[in-house]
Amino acid sequence: MARFLSILFLITVFTIDSVGVNADSLLKVIRFSKDDSLRIEAQLSYAKSFFTIGKDSSIAMQQRALLLSEQNNYRTLECKLLEQLGISYRKLSNYTQALSYFNEANLKLQKGNDSSSIARVKFYLGLCYNEMGDYNNSIEDRKSTRLNSSHQII
């Protein structure tokens, strides 16, 4: 039993340490990188990784990254961030805000040619409607998800 606890302790320490190293690396990129697209990707990764620990700061970082991507006209990153903000607000059960971000992502994605991303966003729209009890919209978005892409959504 003591051996098991020792091994469990070591695994926990190394896991926490590797998360800390990852966070430090991402923060260095966010603070010092001259490449805005790299900074935006780092902010998105950091915000996704630490959502469970600090929801408000994670959302604030996503919103800053969204603003930077809009200023630099990085449409792909902008759509990723809109989708991630929708996911974050859905996790908080703030469905109105989540739907707003998912709908904005959907509109921007419709202008492009990324059927996989469109299908994923429509799937999340359907989930939001379903969780709100709006089953008619939920069914419509899920149907259009199947029509738009053959990709599996997890």
Side-chain angles (χ1 to χ4, degrees), residues 82-106 119-142 145 153:
L82 289 167
E83 179 183 346
Q84 187 57 44
L85 279 160
I87 291 167
S88 296
Y89 279 107
R90 184 182 151 264
K91 286 180 180 178
L92 295 173
S93 300
N94 185 339
Y95 301 115
T96 304
Q97 195 68 37
L99 287 171
S100 174
Y101 282 113
F102 287 138
N103 280 318
E104 189 175 349
N106 186 41
R120 193 175 50 249
V121 167
K122 286 189 167 278
F123 175 79
Y124 284 124
L125 279 165
L127 282 178
C128 278
Y129 285 123
N130 186 57
E131 290 167 354
M132 293 170 61
D134 186 349
Y135 302 114
N136 289 331
N137 276 323
S138 174
I139 290 168
E140 286 305 311
D141 278 316
R142 289 189 183 184
T145 298
I153 299 173

Side-chain angles (χ1 to χ4, degrees), residues 41-109:
E41 287 282 2
Q43 286 176 318
L44 178 59
S45 294
Y46 188 87
K48 286 167 67 173
S49 298
F50 295 98
F51 180 79
T52 55
I53 300 170
K55 293 168 180 52
D56 292 337
S57 58
S58 172
I59 287 173
M61 182 168 286
Q62 291 172 55
Q63 289 170 333
R64 283 192 304 272
L66 177 61
L67 182 62
L68 186 58
S69 66
E70 289 170 343
Q71 290 169 347
N72 287 287
N73 210 23
Y74 296 140
R75 294 293 172 225
T76 303
L77 290 171
E78 187 179 344
C79 291
K80 274 186 183 179
L81 286 155
L82 289 167
E83 179 183 346
Q84 187 57 44
L85 279 160
I87 291 167
S88 296
Y89 279 107
R90 184 182 151 264
K91 286 180 180 178
L92 295 173
S93 300
N94 185 339
Y95 301 115
T96 304
Q97 195 68 37
L99 287 171
S100 174
Y101 282 113
F102 287 138
N103 280 318
E104 189 175 349
N106 186 41
L107 285 173
K108 290 181 185 291
L109 287 166

Side-chain angles (χ1 to χ4, degrees), residues 111-126:
K111 296 175 186 174
N113 194 22
D114 188 354
S115 62
S116 177
S117 293
I118 293 168
R120 193 175 50 249
V121 167
K122 286 189 167 278
F123 175 79
Y124 284 124
L125 279 165

